[in-house]
């Protein structure tokens, strides 16, 4: 092959390769351009969808504050499409979960505007314990606009306050002591919606320095046994005329033969709030103290000690009893019962202390 022909072939090959590279580059550029166009279209579509979602969602109110002692509240309305608002209280369990229905609520707060809204919430139903205060915005009826999540505050009541000092009855037979928490004491705890733990301590000396036995029981389970007798609100903590082991005779000093005050006396056995202990023979001094379950409320004062004597015999039907000085028998109507706040001589009752709340969030 001569040099001219070879040169011509090489030139043809180079030209063909150059054309192929040019076509490939053009195709790649076109594909990339199409990909960018598709991405842009998807982004635009997503942005439009997000915008539609935002249009379908009410804006939550902001700057929600409340005075937990006066009930005065304020917040900033941010969306004039809101139909109305509610401020509501929910009691919390020991794990911080909302329990059941709200316990108090504001009236319906009119929406339709933006700016500061103020009001005062009735706190008469609030008691010791933890609560959520929920501010919820609602869309007008008949619209598809979604409601935002509630704005929440957490409030603790009973802050810095002291639990009521417990009163008790102690029945003894043989080597056994049965401790009964005073029903009026239980009623006052239940009224504040704060059932503490109770610590019973047995000492071997009158000065209460030589501890023999200490036991702590939780009073919260008693709420599952509580009954109320209509039409009055009489708290009934459990009693029986057929199941013992020991039957106590309660006296009603108000009766005086007047049937309007119920029976003058009634014999029954305590149930549910009775705690039984067996110890060696000897003389003991027994106290009770209500223990707080949180860092905001203070333990009660210790009850006055009661002196008991146990023997080495097995318990029998016969028994002796002794009470703390402010013990009061349950009142006797159709059945034994008690009501909160009807024993004004108690130590550190909630009625004497009022109520003190604090925002803890």
């Amino acid at each position: 092959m001569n040099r001219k022909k070879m040169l011509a072939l090489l030139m043809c090959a180079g030209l063909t390769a150059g054309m192929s590279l040019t076509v490939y580059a053009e195709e790649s550029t076109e594909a990339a351009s199409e990909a960018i166009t598709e991405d842009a279209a998807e982004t635009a579509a997503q942005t439009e969808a997000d915008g539609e979602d935002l249009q379908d969602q009410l804006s939550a109110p902001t700057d929600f504050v409340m005075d937990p002692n006066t009930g005065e509240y304020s917040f900033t309305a941010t969306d004039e499409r809101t139909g109305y608002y509610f401020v509501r209280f929910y009691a919390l369990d020991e794990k911080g979960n909302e329990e059941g229905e709200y316990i108090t609520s504001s009236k319906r707060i009119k929406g339709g505007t933006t700016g500061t809204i103020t009001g005062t919430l009735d706190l008469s139903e609030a008691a010791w314990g933890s609560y959520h205060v929920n501010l919820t915005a609602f869309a007008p009826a008949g619209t598809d606009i979604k409601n935002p999540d509630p704005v929440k505050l957490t409030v603790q009541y009973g802050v810095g306050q002291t639990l009521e000092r417990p009163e008790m009855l102690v029945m003894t037979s043989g080597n056994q002591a049965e401790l009964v928490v005073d029903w009026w004491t239980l009623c006052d705890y239940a009224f504040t919606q704060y059932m503490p733990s109770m610590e019973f301590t047995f000492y071997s000396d009158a000065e209460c320095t030589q501890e023999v036995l200490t036991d702590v029981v939780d009073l919260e389970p008693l709420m599952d046994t509580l009954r109320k007798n209509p039409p009055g609100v009489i708290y009934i903590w459990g009693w029986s005329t057929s199941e013992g082991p020991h039957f106590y005779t309660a006296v009603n000093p108000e009766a005086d033969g007047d049937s309007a005050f119920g029976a003058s006396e009634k014999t029954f056995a305590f149930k549910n709030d009775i705690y039984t202990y067996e110890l060696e023979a000897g003389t003991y001094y027994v106290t009770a103290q209500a223990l707080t379950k949180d860092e905001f409320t203070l333990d009660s004062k210790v009850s006055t000690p009661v002196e008991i004597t146990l023997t080495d015999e097995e318990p029998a039907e016969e028994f002796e009893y002794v009470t703390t000085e402010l013990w009061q028998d349950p009142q006797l109507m159709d059945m034994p019962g008690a009501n909160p706040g009807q024993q004004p001589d108690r130590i550190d009752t909630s009625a004497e202390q009022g109520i003190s709340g604090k925002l803890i969030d």
Side-chain angles (χ1 to χ4, degrees):
M1 182 178 297
N2 61 36
R3 292 179 60 189
K4 290 184 178 181
K5 187 173 182 179
M6 183 178 291
L7 181 59
L9 289 173
L10 289 173
M11 291 177 63
C12 288
L15 181 60
T16 301
M19 291 176 62
S20 299
L21 291 172
T22 301
V23 171
Y24 175 77
E26 290 176 351
E27 290 177 350
S28 299
T29 302
E30 183 177 356
S33 178
E34 290 178 355
I36 292 172
T37 301
E38 290 176 359
D39 288 344
E42 290 179 1
T43 301
Q46 184 62 50
T47 300
E48 183 178 355
D50 291 343
E52 291 177 354
D53 288 343
L54 291 174
Q55 291 297 319
D56 291 341
Q57 174 81 52
L58 286 178
S59 297
T62 60
D63 306 321
F64 180 38
V65 294
M66 192 196 76
D67 186 321
N69 297 299
T70 66
E72 296 176 347
Y73 63 82
S74 69
F75 62 89
T76 301
T78 61
D79 196 329
E80 62 184 10
R81 298 174 302 162
T82 302
Y84 57 95
Y85 306 87
F86 275 109
V87 178
R88 286 170 170 164
F89 258 49
Y90 292 84
L92 304 182
D93 62 21
E94 293 182 358
K95 296 181 179 179
N97 300 314
E98 295 177 6
E99 293 185 312
E101 296 293 324
Y102 58 84
I103 64 166
T104 187
S105 173
S106 68
K107 295 181 178 179
R108 186 183 177 114
I109 304 167
K110 185 178 180 181
T113 186
T114 58
T116 301
I117 295 177
T118 62
T120 301
L121 190 65
D122 179 8
L123 299 180
S124 60
E125 296 300 317
W128 290 17
S130 300
Y131 297 83
H132 273 166
V133 189
N134 292 357
L135 167 61
T136 306
F138 294 90
T143 67
D144 294 328
I145 303 175
K146 299 175 183 177
N147 301 331
D149 292 334
V151 181
K152 297 178 181 286
L153 302 176
T154 302
V155 177
Q156 177 73 32
Y157 285 106
V159 175
Q161 295 174 285
T162 304
L163 290 168
E164 180 178 328
R165 192 189 79 176
E167 306 299 326
M168 66 174 171
L169 158 75
V170 182
M171 296 181 287
T172 59
S173 177
N175 64 354
Q176 179 176 281
E178 296 174 316
L179 279 57
V180 179
V181 181
D182 174 88
W183 281 20
W184 306 94
T185 301
L186 293 177
C187 285
D188 289 346
Y189 293 152
F191 184 73
T192 61
Q193 299 179 24
Y194 194 102
M195 299 298 286
S197 296
M198 188 68 65
E199 182 177 76
F200 300 114
T201 306
F202 292 77
Y203 297 93
S204 60
D205 62 316
E207 293 74 26
C208 297
T209 61
Q210 303 298 317
E211 181 180 315
V212 176
L213 172 67
T214 295
D215 186 39
V216 177
V217 298
D218 187 358
L219 299 185
E220 184 65 35
L222 294 180
M223 292 300 291
D224 295 332
T225 69
L226 173 62
R227 293 174 52 207
K228 296 182 181 180
N229 184 33
V233 184
I234 305 298
Y235 286 41
I236 303 167
W237 294 97
W239 62 289
S240 175
T241 58
S242 59
E243 299 178 15
H246 295 121
F247 293 89
Y248 175 79
T249 299
V251 178
N252 184 359
E254 295 182 344
D256 293 332
D258 188 345
S259 61
F261 290 98
S264 59
E265 63 179 41
K266 191 174 186 67
T267 299
F268 59 91
F270 289 98
K271 296 175 62 178
N272 306 326
D273 64 320
I274 184 167
Y275 304 93
T276 303
Y277 301 92
E278 293 185 0
L279 294 91
E280 295 180 354
T283 297
Y284 299 94
Y285 301 84
V286 189
T287 63
Q289 182 181 21
L291 303 182
T292 182
K293 295 179 180 178
D294 61 51
E295 61 182 296
F296 305 102
T297 305
L298 305 178
D299 295 341
S300 76
K301 294 181 175 64
V302 179
S303 73
T304 54
V306 294
E307 180 181 344
I308 64 172
T309 299
L310 300 180
T311 69
D312 56 6
E313 299 176 355
E314 292 295 317
E317 289 186 7
E318 296 76 20
F319 68 94
E320 296 181 353
Y321 73 87
V322 63
T323 69
T324 53
E325 78 274 19
L326 296 183
W327 164 276
Q328 184 71 36
D329 287 348
Q331 68 185 59
L332 305 173
M333 301 297 285
D334 294 335
M335 55 189 70
N339 268 333
Q342 290 192 357
Q343 301 299 328
D345 57 352
R346 297 304 170 98
I347 306 299
D348 293 326
T349 63
S350 60
E352 292 175 348
Q353 299 181 77
I355 190 168
S356 177
K358 178 181 180 181
L359 291 174
I360 59 175
D361 273 359

